[in-house]
Amino acid sequence: MIRRMSSALLTTSPRSGGRWIDHWLDGVRDLENLRAGHPMMDAVIEEIDGRMIRVGEHWLADFASCNYLGFDLDREIIESVPAYLDAWGTHPSWSRLLGSPVLYEQIESRLTELLGCEDSLVLPTITHIHASVIPVLAASGTIFLDARAHKTIYDGCQVARSRGAAVRRFRFEDPAHLDELLAADHDRVRLVCMDGVNSMTGNPPDLRAFAEVTRRHGALLYVDDAHGFGLIGERSPSEPCAYGSRGNSIVRHFGESYEDIVLVAGFSKAYSSLLAFIACPTEIKNLLKVAAPPYLYSGPSPVASLATVLSGFDVNDKRGDELRGVVHGHTVRVLEALKTLDVHTPNRSELPIIEIPLRDHERIGAVGELLFERGVYVTLAAYPLVPKAAVGFRVQLTAANTDTEVDTLIATVTELAEQGELQSATAPRTAEVK
Ligand SMILES: Cc1ncc(COP(=O)(O)O)c(C=O)c1O
């Protein structure tokens, strides 16, 4: 039955005479060709050993993991899980409004303390939060959207638009442009939506400047720090590196207050768990408990995820700063190698997200194959995931990567640079996409 239905769907549409699926595939042809034919996309990973992964017969060093602190492989965290499963089973299937295991209270209270905010609310993923919270906060007002915000923020803004909000885009990393747009718009409810640490460039925005502009115009700033939470945090004289201490995210890192700032982030990157949060005043939290559909209707995170968040807090308290020091050390080694090779990367932050654009976007398949052959697994950033000028690959470093793995990465990037595949850091570029 299913087979008959899908073949019927793939045949001609009465109006165009073509297959309806081609309409969708045409817009993502480059990406679909890579997905269908490239070993480094849509791969089946059959086994892992530390940060080494096996795809078919190939063992590769994994530089595509967002598990920055290595909590996914941490024995203390892994061994904490069975006791939680014994106490709660694998999965309480209540929606949160119906009832939440006390583990949620424990997570929210520890998180609130870590962030130093008024209150916090956890939901399964950041995607759930954007899709449900942005429309509530925007109401029928205006959203000012960072032009290079993450796709999931864009999607949340689309939902808000369908409910009557207007959406205006401001240029990436340009608080003066945001200022201009806010000055020209006097809508009652105004929400500014942007990324914290950018998932491609690895750089944080100038949060102080954006917060100042937003507050001066009486708007609310909504920041997604998916990649910063767990990595960057409050500054202190005893911090192990420029990431700061405690990994308590971008607002604390910039020494800002939470006044007129709503912070969103998740545990699925640095904490290796499936849960996300919104840091907000209690009044907003209580509103979301009755107005955000994931709180009312969605299935909860599995108990193992709640457990790994709680034990992740313990490990973060005990060893987090040390682990951040390891991540920073790996990152600096790679950045120094790029500098010596005169290879361009937008990374100015020394955070462990290093995007390496190609000289010719059409070489993405060949470059990916060489990386794969040399045993280096990265995220391929193909068009239309990124603009053509930014096509390349993204390297992420985690505390679980070894020095030897980083050696392999540097040797392979050196080979690519010598073959002329990468952009020069000093020669003029066409690219800097805003
Ligand atoms: C900036 C940013 N926001 C949101 C997400 C999605 O997070 P989640 O998996 O919790 O929905 C990602 C994941 O890549 C991200 O990089």
Side-chain angles (χ1 to χ4, degrees):
M1 173 64 188
I2 291 173
R3 189 181 277 171
R4 225 179 322 127
M5 213 173 79
S6 56
S7 63
L9 284 168
L10 288 170
T11 52
T12 52
S13 104
R15 249 193 302 149
S16 65
R19 300 186 330 149
W20 69 267
I21 201 169
D22 290 332
H23 164 78
W24 296 101
L25 282 174
D26 283 347
V28 287
R29 187 64 64 193
D30 291 14
L31 186 57
E32 167 53 12
N33 288 344
L34 272 182
R35 188 207 63 77
H38 204 286
M40 205 135 54
M41 274 218 168
D42 209 12
V44 177
I45 294 155
E46 295 177 47
E47 193 180 350
I48 66 168
D49 179 5
R51 265 297 168 266
M52 296 297 290
I53 60 175
R54 182 167 67 77
V55 179
E57 296 304 307
H58 289 259
W59 278 97
L60 302 109
D62 178 12
F63 294 103
S65 167
C66 296
N67 290 314
Y68 299 116
L69 298 176
F71 282 6
D72 54 322
L73 303 171
D74 191 286
R75 286 315 316 171
E76 184 176 342
I77 294 177
I78 293 168
E79 282 161 19
S80 74
V81 174
Y84 285 95
L85 296 181
D86 285 343
W88 291 98
T90 58
H91 186 67
S93 76
W94 308 298
S95 75
R96 287 216 57 197
L97 184 66
L98 207 60
S100 298
V102 69
L103 305 179
Y104 280 94
E105 292 290 307
Q106 292 164 4
I107 289 171
E108 286 170 356
S109 106
R110 288 192 72 172
L111 180 63
T112 299
E113 187 282 321
L114 176 66
L115 298 172
C117 55
E118 182 181 320
D119 213 336
S120 59
L121 177 73
V122 298
L123 290 169
T125 68
I126 300 178
T127 306
H128 280 95
I129 292 177
H130 292 332
S132 59
V133 175
I134 291 176
V136 172
L137 297 181
S140 55
T142 302
I143 299 173
F144 298 85
L145 172 62
D146 174 357
R148 281 184 67 182
H150 195 262
K151 172 80 166 78
T152 52
I153 302 184
Y154 263 84
D155 288 350
C157 292
Q158 287 289 0
V159 178
R161 198 192 327 239
S162 73
R163 309 236 177 104
V167 180
R168 309 229 144 80
R169 289 199 300 172
F170 61 91
R171 285 192 293 271
F172 180 53
E173 293 185 341
D174 193 345
H177 188 220
L178 173 64
D179 195 2
E180 253 173 60
L181 294 183
L182 281 166
D185 187 296
H186 300 286
D187 214 323
R188 197 173 50 88
V189 178
R190 293 183 298 169
L191 182 69
V192 175
C193 291
M194 63 187 296
D195 283 8
V197 171
N198 186 278
S199 60
M200 292 306 294
T201 67
N203 299 321
D206 182 350
L207 191 77
R208 257 188 228 124
F210 280 102
E212 187 281 319
V213 170
T214 306
R215 288 186 186 124
R216 180 154 44 78
H217 290 282
L220 181 66
L221 181 58
Y222 178 99
V223 184
D224 170 353
D225 199 28
H227 292 269
F229 176 67
L231 275 180
I232 55 171
E234 64 195 62
R235 308 309 302 266
S236 82
S238 60
E239 65 191 27
C241 64
Y243 297 173
S245 305
R246 302 188 74 203
N248 48 10
S249 196
I250 189 165
V251 176
R252 296 298 300 273
H253 187 68
F254 278 86
E256 272 295 336
S257 81
Y258 287 92
E259 192 190 340
D260 299 323
I261 298 182
V262 165
L263 173 71
V264 173
F267 295 90
S268 75
K269 303 200 187 301
Y271 276 66
S272 314
S273 194
L274 186 84
L275 197 66
F277 67 82
I278 168 163
C280 59
T282 308
E283 209 182 351
I284 295 186
K285 172 173 175 169
N286 288 337
L287 165 68
L288 295 174
K289 283 186 170 189
V290 287
Y295 196 88
L296 281 76
Y297 306 113
S298 295
S301 291
V303 167
S305 291
L306 304 179
T308 50
V309 168
L310 282 166
S311 37
F313 285 139
D314 293 339
V315 172
N316 185 54
D317 287 347
K318 284 187 266 186
R319 290 185 270 121
D321 284 351
E322 189 191 316
L323 294 168
R324 283 179 275 277
V326 174
V327 180
H328 182 252
H330 286 332
T331 307
V332 167
R333 277 193 65 202
V334 177
L335 290 173
E336 277 172 1
L338 294 181
K339 198 165 166 204
T340 309
L341 292 165
D342 185 35
V343 167
H344 170 60
T345 172
N347 184 306
R348 307 182 295 267
S349 63
E350 297 185 0
L351 285 164
I353 302 168
I354 304 178
E355 184 189 356
I356 305 181
L358 303 189
R359 203 176 34 76
D360 174 359
H361 72 91
E362 292 191 348
R363 297 282 301 154
I364 180 79
V367 167
E369 263 157 38
L370 187 134
L371 285 158
F372 192 87
E373 281 304 313
R374 299 294 181 268
V376 174
Y377 199 82
V378 295
T379 305
L380 294 184
Y383 178 80
L385 292 177
V386 296
K388 285 189 175 159
V391 163
F393 57 96
R394 179 181 71 174
V395 169
Q396 283 154 297
L397 289 309
T398 72
N401 285 117
T402 62
D403 287 334
T404 313
E405 289 162 16
V406 176
D407 290 343
T408 307
L409 169 67
I410 291 174
T412 311
V413 171
T414 304
E415 192 177 343
L416 286 170
E418 285 167 356
Q419 290 177 6
E421 298 283 11
L422 310 178
Q423 295 181 13
S424 157
T426 49
R429 276 186 305 280
T430 37
E432 218 61 68
V433 189
K434 287 255 160 174

